[in-house]
Amino acid sequence: MTSILTNSSAMSALQTLRSINSNLTDTQNRVSSGMRVEQASDNVAYWSISTSMKSDNKALGAATDALGVGAAKVDTAYAAMDSAIDVVNEIKAKLVTSSETSVDKEQIQLEVKKLQEQLSAIGQAASFNGENWMVNTTNTTVVDGFIRESDGTVKINTASFKAGSYAMFSTIDGGVGSGGILGAVMTIELTSVTTQGKIDTFLDTVETALGKMTNGAAALGALKTRIDMQDKFSSKLSDAIESGVSRLVDANMEEESARLSALQTQQQLAIQSLSIANSSSQNIMSLFRG
């Protein structure tokens, strides 16, 4: 039966066209944005996971930046320690020279004094961003990672350095360092009446300081190695997270391209079908023509 009040065929064709247009709009959005999960309504689970992981990746990037600052601090401290070792070795050489009875110990003391001043200058200059590990009494830490636990909690991972144990000086007052590894070295003073026994004591003091400084340089080197390894790992981890998020939310452009072409064809056919359905009611007019 044909009715001029209700065109069932046109209604059906219109519903089909609406569905196609809706799917076409979604596909066009995915093609333009490159994402198949752009908001929570697209896929609640994937959107939630991707949002958390993007946040973690950003925090990991910040931790990597902080790692760079830590590496700079370690490099600064190591450069100071390495230079100070060379200076202390020079003091050691001067003490050995002073053991010769014919030398002027007071003249050697002038050189020793300048070397001691150089040690203070090295310690005072070993500062990065206002932090000096070579003039310190406390232990320090550097950020080396961002971790999300299995229970969902997060924390910042740090690496520690015993700056208080390996510091060249505990304080520098008036340009003169005191305390720390080199505190005793700074008290060495030769005079014309300094005995060989006293010189031997000075040599023992220098050897003790060199041993501690060597241990400090080794600790800094180990920390630098850890920082370098963590930096490489953080870079790989960040890439892996980004790739994983991409698998969850990024659109497959090959599939979307094929779907877009198919929907455009379906849209054209649905419009044609609706046109045919609408024209069927016009045929009733022919029944009333004489």
Side-chain angles (χ1 to χ4, degrees), residues 140-279:
T140 58
T141 60
V142 295
V143 174
D144 74 348
F146 172 85
I147 299 174
R148 179 177 290 276
E149 303 285 5
S150 57
D151 60 358
T153 59
V154 297
K155 70 175 184 178
I156 302 298
N157 200 30
T158 60
S160 62
F161 176 70
K162 296 180 179 179
S165 300
Y166 296 125
M168 291 164 51
F169 302 107
S170 57
T171 60
I172 294 182
D173 186 16
V176 179
S178 61
I181 293 176
L182 297 178
V185 174
M186 298 298 288
T187 64
I188 293 175
E189 183 176 2
L190 296 170
T191 66
S192 59
V193 295
T194 300
T195 64
Q196 184 59 45
K198 189 64 173 178
I199 292 174
D200 290 341
T201 300
F202 288 156
L203 284 170
D204 288 340
T205 298
V206 169
E207 283 299 325
T208 300
L210 283 172
K212 291 180 179 179
M213 293 176 74
T214 300
N215 291 338
L220 286 168
L223 181 57
K224 181 64 165 60
T225 299
R226 175 178 175 180
I227 288 175
D228 289 342
M229 293 177 65
Q230 182 64 24
D231 186 47
K232 293 178 182 178
F233 169 70
S234 295
S235 178
K236 292 181 179 179
L237 181 60
S238 179
D239 290 344
I241 292 175
E242 188 172 351
S243 178
V245 170
S246 174
R247 290 176 178 273
L248 294 177
V249 300
D250 287 0
N252 185 321
M253 299 308 291
E254 291 86 354
E255 291 182 0
E256 298 302 333
S257 176
R259 184 178 292 110
L260 182 63
S261 297
L263 288 170
Q264 287 173 337
T265 301
Q266 292 176 30
Q267 183 187 50
Q268 293 173 4
L269 292 174
I271 291 174
Q272 185 65 28
S273 176
L274 179 60
S275 177
I276 293 173
N278 284 332
S279 64

Side-chain angles (χ1 to χ4, degrees), residues 5-280:
L5 298 179
T6 303
N7 190 333
S8 299
S9 297
M11 293 171 61
S12 177
L14 183 59
Q15 290 176 355
T16 300
L17 181 59
R18 285 173 177 168
S19 176
I20 293 172
N21 285 341
S22 177
N23 292 335
L24 184 60
T25 299
D26 292 341
T27 302
Q28 287 174 332
N29 288 337
R30 287 194 289 267
V31 170
S32 61
S33 67
M35 300 178 66
R36 66 187 178 94
V37 181
E38 189 174 7
Q39 51 191 354
S41 58
D42 295 332
N43 188 309
V44 175
Y46 284 0
W47 180 86
S48 178
I49 293 172
S50 66
T51 299
S52 296
M53 295 311 298
K54 285 178 180 178
S55 176
D56 286 358
N57 207 19
K58 188 172 183 179
L60 182 62
T64 302
D65 292 340
L67 199 64
V69 175
K73 293 177 183 178
V74 173
D75 289 342
T76 301
Y78 182 83
M81 186 74 78
D82 190 49
S83 297
I85 288 174
D86 291 339
V87 174
V88 174
N89 278 326
E90 285 294 323
I91 294 176
K92 178 181 177 180
K94 300 303 177 184
L95 291 174
V96 173
T97 301
S98 69
S99 297
E100 173 58 47
T101 56
S102 62
V103 301
D104 188 340
K105 293 183 178 62
E106 291 183 348
Q107 292 296 321
I108 294 178
Q109 173 58 26
L110 293 176
E111 295 181 281
V112 171
K113 183 66 174 177
K114 292 301 180 184
L115 292 172
Q116 290 170 332
E117 291 174 357
Q118 179 62 20
L119 288 174
S120 295
I122 291 172
Q124 197 165 23
S127 175
F128 182 85
N129 195 31
E131 187 171 347
N132 193 331
W133 290 5
M134 294 296 97
V135 184
N136 208 325
T137 57
T138 59
N139 295 336
T140 58
T141 60
V142 295
V143 174
D144 74 348
F146 172 85
I147 299 174
R148 179 177 290 276
E149 303 285 5
S150 57
D151 60 358
T153 59
V154 297
K155 70 175 184 178
I156 302 298
N157 200 30
T158 60
S160 62
F161 176 70
K162 296 180 179 179
S165 300
Y166 296 125
M168 291 164 51
F169 302 107
S170 57
T171 60
I172 294 182
D173 186 16
V176 179
S178 61
I181 293 176
L182 297 178
V185 174
M186 298 298 288
T187 64
I188 293 175
E189 183 176 2
L190 296 170
T191 66
S192 59
V193 295
T194 300
T195 64
Q196 184 59 45
K198 189 64 173 178
I199 292 174
D200 290 341
T201 300
F202 288 156
L203 284 170
D204 288 340
T205 298
V206 169
E207 283 299 325
T208 300
L210 283 172
K212 291 180 179 179
M213 293 176 74
T214 300
N215 291 338
L220 286 168
L223 181 57
K224 181 64 165 60
T225 299
R226 175 178 175 180
I227 288 175
D228 289 342
M229 293 177 65
Q230 182 64 24
D231 186 47
K232 293 178 182 178
F233 169 70
S234 295
S235 178
K236 292 181 179 179
L237 181 60
S238 179
D239 290 344
I241 292 175
E242 188 172 351
S243 178
V245 170
S246 174
R247 290 176 178 273
L248 294 177
V249 300
D250 287 0
N252 185 321
M253 299 308 291
E254 291 86 354
E255 291 182 0
E256 298 302 333
S257 176
R259 184 178 292 110
L260 182 63
S261 297
L263 288 170
Q264 287 173 337
T265 301
Q266 292 176 30
Q267 183 187 50
Q268 293 173 4
L269 292 174
I271 291 174
Q272 185 65 28
S273 176
L274 179 60
S275 177
I276 293 173
N278 284 332
S279 64
S280 64

